[in-house]
Amino acid sequence: MVRMIDVLKGLAETLAARSWLQIAVLLVLITATLLPTLGADFLWDDFDQIVYSQTISDLERIPFYFAHNVVQSAGGEGRGAEGVDTYRPAFFVALSLIHTINGADPFWFHFAVLAAHLLVCVLLWLLAVRWLDSRVASFAAVLFFACHPVTAEAYLWASALSEPLAAAGLLAAIWILDTRYRVGVGAGTLAAATAAGLVLLAGLLAKEVVLTALPAATLFLVMVRGVQLRSVAPMWVAAGAFLTLRSCALSGLQATGMDPAHRLAAIKIYPVLVLDGIRAMLTMQPVDIRHLSWEYADVGWATSLSAACVCGMLLAAALAARKSAPLLGFAVLVTGSMLLPIALVATVPGWGGFGRYLYVPLAFAVLGLAQVGLLLSHRLNRSQPRLRWALPTLVVAVLLIQQIGLRHALWVYANQEKLARAAIEIFPEGPDGWLWLGD
């Protein structure tokens, strides 16, 4: 028994001394957990964007993606539902490259999404160990992010590839600036700042929504992390370049073709959406596919104003704790800013999805929660040392419970029929699940 304890202590010391080994263990755990996704079928938008696409097999069409919207890039005409216009050329370039491996084989597309998700986890780990100053807390935070059953919508189906690609661009840009441009930590180089702008541009070209996180990221890097303001300029240049490309390709910056009534409806549901997102990140529910336009159809202004008041109180509390837990305020700002454009599409009938919109907000939310957890742990160790086991036990319990939800998510995204049944289960009155089941 003593010998076994000595062996375990030796392994723990080896693991603690080698950062690369910690990352390797983390990636092995995540990969083993998500391995079943490699056997999933195509579903949802995969059929339009991959299986039936008229452009994906022709690499000479790659320049075409940079001059057209998502619908046209997949070989269709016009815009998306209710005139929603999106621009993701890097996403379609990635799909085309994957298609060259073995055609429309779902294995390789799921493999690419999983690999992109693992890249995001590595980048989040690199930020976590810098910002939390605790490898144990960083490990738990990244593991919670990697296996969250609600945001699994961002990496359990092939056409979700744009989500981790965009997230990787944003996180990599932040990591480069935080590493090279801290005041008093090296002089930094123009090349590194330029690299930050370029990786952000690549992320934006995969999915435009990460643009809305840029103001919050700038505030955090400059005011909290001490990054020089001029060093952040290349990221804003990248944002300007992206908007120029998007405007030229789509004949303007307008994202939707909705009328003022729809925009007013978006304002009404926005605070409800934010609270819904925070609740989903904390409770890990609901896991099934959602169609917010049907669920929010009966939301009134009284509910909206009440939700807005709660959102205001949460923001005030996060800002009040900015000195002791600055990551929490950063997470709240990112969540609020990134869900703002989602309120627009949440008014479009039939526009599906929810968890993937929380993918990037969750990345920063887990760091904020970990920072708060470390503060509570330190205080508990000082005031009630006999209860120092309580918080680690709670974290382990949450991670174990999370696996139950993830098992269900893996089942939901295994094929189109299961996805349809999940949509019906969460909102039977909505027509989309029944239509999918019929098809």
Side-chain angles (χ1 to χ4, degrees):
M1 185 67 179
V2 173
R3 205 167 177 185
M4 178 64 71
I5 294 175
D6 290 338
V7 170
L8 292 175
K9 285 183 177 179
L11 289 174
E13 290 173 358
T14 301
L15 185 62
R18 292 171 171 81
S19 180
W20 66 267
L21 188 57
Q22 297 163 15
I23 297 177
V25 170
L26 181 64
L27 293 181
V28 167
L29 284 175
I30 297 170
T31 303
T33 302
L34 299 178
L35 207 57
T37 190
L38 297 180
D41 294 334
F42 285 126
L43 47 87
W44 205 356
D45 288 343
D46 294 345
F47 295 104
D48 289 333
Q49 297 179 350
I50 299 172
V51 180
Y52 305 132
S53 172
Q54 301 299 311
T55 64
I56 193 171
S57 61
D58 186 3
L59 293 181
E60 292 183 358
R61 297 291 296 273
I62 285 179
F64 176 86
Y65 301 143
F66 288 85
H68 295 83
N69 65 18
V70 164
V71 174
Q72 295 163 342
S73 294
E77 296 181 358
R79 296 181 173 183
E82 296 292 324
V84 176
D85 228 356
T86 49
Y87 178 67
R88 298 166 190 173
F91 165 60
F92 280 96
V93 171
L95 293 183
S96 294
L97 294 176
I98 298 166
H99 191 272
T100 63
I101 300 175
N102 195 34
D105 182 349
F107 172 84
W108 291 108
F109 286 90
H110 286 293
F111 180 86
V113 178
L114 178 58
H117 178 54
L118 292 176
L119 173 61
V120 172
C121 293
V122 170
L123 291 169
L124 187 60
W125 163 267
L126 294 174
L127 289 174
V129 295
R130 290 182 61 81
W131 294 350
L132 296 176
D133 197 27
S134 168
R135 294 185 179 270
V136 174
S138 299
F139 193 96
V142 176
L143 190 59
F144 182 78
F145 165 80
C147 301
H148 199 285
V150 175
T151 58
E153 184 185 307
Y155 52 84
L156 291 188
W157 55 296
S159 292
L161 179 60
S162 60
E163 304 291 343
L165 289 180
L170 176 65
L171 293 179
I174 292 174
W175 176 73
I176 291 171
L177 290 178
D178 189 73
T179 303
R180 298 301 301 271
Y181 285 97
R182 290 285 308 282
V183 172
V185 184
T189 63
L190 178 61
T194 303
L198 290 175
V199 294
L200 178 63
L201 178 59
L204 289 169
L205 291 171
K207 188 170 185 179
E208 56 267 80
V209 73
V210 291
L211 179 65
T212 58
L214 188 53
T218 300
L219 285 173
F220 178 78
L221 287 171
V222 173
M223 299 183 67
V224 177
R225 298 298 295 172
V227 174
Q228 301 170 23
L229 184 59
R230 64 185 180 186
S231 303
V232 186
M235 290 208 301
W236 285 93
V237 172
F242 167 76
L243 290 175
T244 300
L245 288 171
R246 188 185 192 281
S247 180
C248 292
L250 307 186
S251 301
L253 293 175
Q254 182 171 310
T256 72
M258 294 184 291
D259 56 36
H262 281 91
R263 298 182 186 277
L264 186 62
I267 294 173
K268 181 175 64 175
I269 69 171
Y270 171 65
V272 178
L273 176 64
V274 172
L275 288 186
D276 203 357
I278 294 173
R279 176 189 63 84
M281 288 190 284
L282 294 177
T283 65
M284 299 177 285
Q285 291 290 333
V287 176
D288 299 334
I289 189 68
R290 299 178 65 181
H291 288 81
L292 299 180
S293 62
W294 308 122
E295 295 184 42
Y296 292 167
D298 297 328
V299 170
W301 281 106
T303 301
S304 176
L305 291 174
S306 299
C309 290
V310 176
C311 289
M313 289 188 288
L314 291 176
L315 178 60
L319 293 178
R322 63 186 181 277
K323 291 186 178 180
S324 57
L327 285 170
L328 191 61
F330 180 34
V332 170
L333 290 176
V334 169
T335 300
S337 60
M338 291 197 69
L339 289 181
L340 184 58
I342 307 307
L344 286 170
V345 297
T347 64
V348 176
W351 191 278
F354 176 66
R356 66 183 186 272
Y357 305 133
L358 301 175
Y359 186 69
V360 174
L362 179 66
F364 297 111
V366 295
L367 299 185
L369 292 173
Q371 191 170 58
V372 172
L374 286 171
L375 290 173
L376 293 176
S377 179
H378 293 328
R379 292 178 182 178
L380 194 62
N381 288 340
R382 289 196 302 267
S383 60
Q384 298 290 338
R386 293 182 180 180
L387 297 178
R388 61 180 179 273
W389 53 268
L391 197 56
T393 302
L394 177 62
V395 171
V396 172
V398 169
L399 292 175
L400 291 175
I401 293 171
Q402 184 186 58
Q403 291 300 310
I404 300 174
L406 184 61
R407 293 303 101 190
H408 180 64
L410 287 166
W411 178 88
V412 167
Y413 290 94
N415 56 55
Q416 184 76 352
E417 179 181 350
K418 292 177 179 178
L419 184 71
R421 294 189 182 280
I424 294 170
E425 180 181 348
I426 197 169
F427 196 72
E429 294 83 1
D432 301 277
W434 296 105
L435 289 173
W436 290 347
L437 195 60
D439 293 338

